[in-house]
Amino acid sequence: MNKESGRKHGALSPCAACKLLRRRCAQDCVFAPYFPADEPQKFASVHKVFGASNVNKMLQELPEHQRRDAVSSMVYEANARVRDPVYGCVGAISSLQQQINSLQTQLAVAQAEVVHMRMREFTSSSNTGAMDMAVNQDNMGESLWSC
């Protein structure tokens, strides 16, 4: 992606970061490719949680091919921190893990009920089958003697 992705029609419209920070957006702005002008909230939440100088430092220390993923992670974490300032992503992960545990328990109970129902069905059909065999043996005995 080119360096001017956050700028409209080649004009020097500042990226969302520079606009929020009220500074001139330079041609080599490290924020411009990742915080376009039309997505101001994206940088605002990242800035609120991490600070512009820390974001700048992190991006400068990463190779360019890893920066987009890093920004995506920062945006996700920042949004989670805005929703839950104490736990952030960890709170969301913990909540999802509790849901998984609850659903696994419900699934195990349902599977046990299915097994129990099948066993009842099997034993009732086995008893019926045994009675049918007894009746058939009685009839078979009569038919043998009736010859």
Side-chain angles (χ1 to χ4, degrees):
M1 188 168 255
N2 66 16
K3 296 276 187 194
E4 293 187 349
S5 63
R7 296 170 176 103
K8 294 179 182 176
H9 308 295
L12 293 178
S13 174
C15 67
C18 292
K19 191 171 190 174
L20 184 78
L21 299 171
R22 296 182 180 164
R23 66 182 195 188
R24 189 180 143 271
C25 194
Q27 185 70 24
D28 61 345
C29 176
V30 71
F31 298 121
Y34 315 107
F35 300 104
D38 60 346
E39 297 180 46
Q41 191 56 38
K42 189 174 173 181
F43 183 75
S45 60
V46 169
H47 177 259
K48 183 176 181 179
V49 173
F50 296 103
S53 128
N54 288 329
V55 174
N56 184 21
K57 202 179 303 179
M58 284 188 267
L59 291 176
Q60 294 288 349
E61 290 174 359
L62 288 171
E64 269 191 58
H65 71 276
Q66 293 179 340
R67 291 179 183 176
R68 186 158 309 282
D69 289 338
V71 167
S72 178
S73 294
M74 283 187 270
V75 169
Y76 187 83
E77 176 65 27
N79 289 333
R81 286 274 170 198
V82 167
R83 282 189 307 275
D84 183 353
V86 176
Y87 295 108
C89 285
V90 174
I93 292 167
S94 176
S95 173
L96 291 171
Q97 187 61 51
Q98 288 174 354
Q99 287 178 15
I100 288 170
N101 291 341
S102 173
L103 291 170
Q104 284 176 331
T105 301
Q106 290 175 24
L107 178 61
V109 168
Q111 287 173 331
E113 288 175 4
V114 167
V115 168
H116 182 70
M117 290 173 65
R118 285 185 179 161
M119 289 302 292
R120 262 195 289 172
E121 186 180 291
F122 175 73
T123 54
S124 69
S125 69
S126 294
N127 290 341
T128 305
M131 284 193 277
D132 288 345
M133 285 176 53
V135 170
N136 287 339
Q137 286 177 352
D138 289 341
N139 290 342
M140 192 167 73
E142 287 177 11
S143 64
L144 287 174
W145 293 109
S146 61
C147 302

